[in-house]
Amino acid sequence: AAKASGSAKGITMTDAYKLTSSFSGTSEITSNWARDTSRGGGNLGSAMSESSGVFTFPSTGIYLVHFAARGAINNSANREVIAQIFFTSNNSSYNETANCAMNQYNSGQNTHASCNVQKILDITDVSNQKVKFRVQTDQSGFSTYGSSDIAFTFVQFTRLGDT
């Protein structure tokens, strides 16, 4: 088979951030994000930028955004936890664009759960199109895990191609 001429195609950018400190209850995650470079973590190409929990894309393109939240609750009440991706197209008002839910039904103390949500975004304006993340729970005793070493709660951004 003939080899295609021109430059190689494929993924040229992927970046990951992890939550470095745990928190309880419902919260937009506005702090304690760090690039995930420990214990084998790697990134490729231009980095995302993050300020107060708002992530800015380094260039236009089609991006896969993956948000994972992990935590535990320490009572036996019914509970639901939702991990949410919020998107803005005007660098001001954010709307929920994707979520996942985890639920434990009277399953005892220290019940661990995790949830993964993904969204493909068409980023055509890096100044105005941005994302942020939130964990919503119906029980204040739910603790979303963060660690400086382990990616318990994290986000990953992969540029899939041109817009």
Side-chain angles (χ1 to χ4, degrees), residues 6 10 16 24-25 32-33 44 48 58 62 68 74 79 87 96 105 110 112 122 124-125 138 146 155:
S24 293
N32 301 313
W33 287 113
L44 174 68
M48 296 290 294
I62 304 296
N74 51 13
R79 57 243 175 224
F87 174 78
E96 183 179 16
Y105 179 76
N110 298 317
H112 297 260
D122 184 0
T124 58
D125 180 351
D138 63 357
V155 294

Side-chain angles (χ1 to χ4, degrees), residues 38-121:
S38 63
R39 297 187 180 182
N43 300 289
L44 174 68
S46 299
M48 296 290 294
S49 60
E50 180 269 333
S51 177
S52 300
V54 173
F55 287 84
T56 301
F57 296 89
S59 63
T60 61
I62 304 296
Y63 286 84
L64 173 63
V65 178
H66 176 192
F67 175 39
R70 178 168 180 237
I73 194 157
N74 51 13
N75 65 38
S76 60
N78 296 341
R79 57 243 175 224
E80 176 183 60
V81 180
I82 300 171
Q84 301 165 295
I85 300 173
F86 282 83
F87 174 78
T88 182
S89 59
N90 63 10
N91 195 27
S92 178
S93 57
Y94 284 80
N95 293 298
E96 183 179 16
T97 188
N99 79 44
C100 61
M102 47 188 145
N103 188 291
Q104 298 86 28
Y105 179 76
N106 288 336
S107 50
Q109 294 197 359
N110 298 317
T111 302
H112 297 260
S114 61
C115 183
N116 290 270
V117 58
Q118 296 180 335
K119 177 77 178 200
I120 294 176
L121 296 174

Side-chain angles (χ1 to χ4, degrees), residues 15-33:
D15 201 6
Y17 283 75
K18 63 186 168 195
L19 184 67
T20 60
S21 181
S22 300
F23 67 89
S24 293
T26 295
S27 183
E28 202 172 278
I29 307 174
T30 59
S31 60
N32 301 313
W33 287 113

